[in-house]
Amino acid sequence: MTTTTRPCAAVTAFLLLLLLSSAAVSLAAKTAGKESKQAAATSVYVVMVKAPAQGVNYKAYQMRILATALGSEEKAKQALIYSYKAVASGFAAKLTPEQVAALKKHPAVLQALPEVKYSLQDNRLT
């Protein structure tokens, strides 16, 4: 009789392991889906701001504007891609539509436009 309980215990253990691994895969897929939706919701925006006062650090000035809209300096550092200062005052950042709406309310923000990528096309026939 002991030989019949061992295969039964092994089958039960195998089914339990299969159930647990299925649950782990399902949980990982749900987590990855949420992260990809958040990443898909962000786009790169070019934000033009008023020039800072003479002698003010432009990066710190732009970071304060972005941090005000995003809620923290850490989030602002993660979102910031590039700062512009030579010809125009502004920055490029990865933002959600909600963050862009909050940013546009800041008095120093002139405009926030989605990044546009242009590509050259070669129409020559070779």
Side-chain angles (χ1 to χ4, degrees):
M1 204 148 211
T2 56
T3 50
T4 57
T5 57
R6 283 190 178 167
C8 195
V11 170
T12 304
F14 174 75
L15 290 175
L16 183 61
L17 181 63
L18 185 63
L19 178 67
L20 290 174
S21 64
S22 174
V25 169
S26 176
L27 180 62
K30 285 181 183 179
T31 304
K34 286 180 184 178
E35 289 173 1
S36 66
K37 284 180 184 177
Q38 284 181 334
T42 62
S43 297
V44 176
Y45 284 83
V46 177
V47 181
M48 304 311 296
V49 297
K50 294 178 183 177
Q54 191 70 20
V56 174
N57 181 328
Y58 77 96
K59 271 196 166 183
Y61 170 74
Q62 294 172 356
M63 188 62 66
R64 279 193 304 271
I65 294 170
L66 189 56
T68 300
L70 301 185
S72 74
E73 191 171 327
E74 184 61 36
K75 288 180 183 177
K77 285 179 181 179
Q78 290 174 351
L80 186 68
I81 296 173
Y82 190 80
S83 290
Y84 302 100
K85 73 169 187 172
V87 176
S89 178
F91 54 88
K94 287 185 180 180
L95 303 167
T96 65
E98 295 81 17
Q99 292 169 333
V100 173
L103 195 58
K104 286 182 176 181
K105 293 177 184 176
H106 194 285
V109 173
L110 301 173
Q111 65 183 36
L113 301 171
E115 178 186 49
V116 178
K117 293 182 181 181
Y118 296 98
S119 61
L120 297 175
Q121 293 183 358
D122 186 8
N123 292 332
R124 290 183 285 155
L125 299 173
T126 53

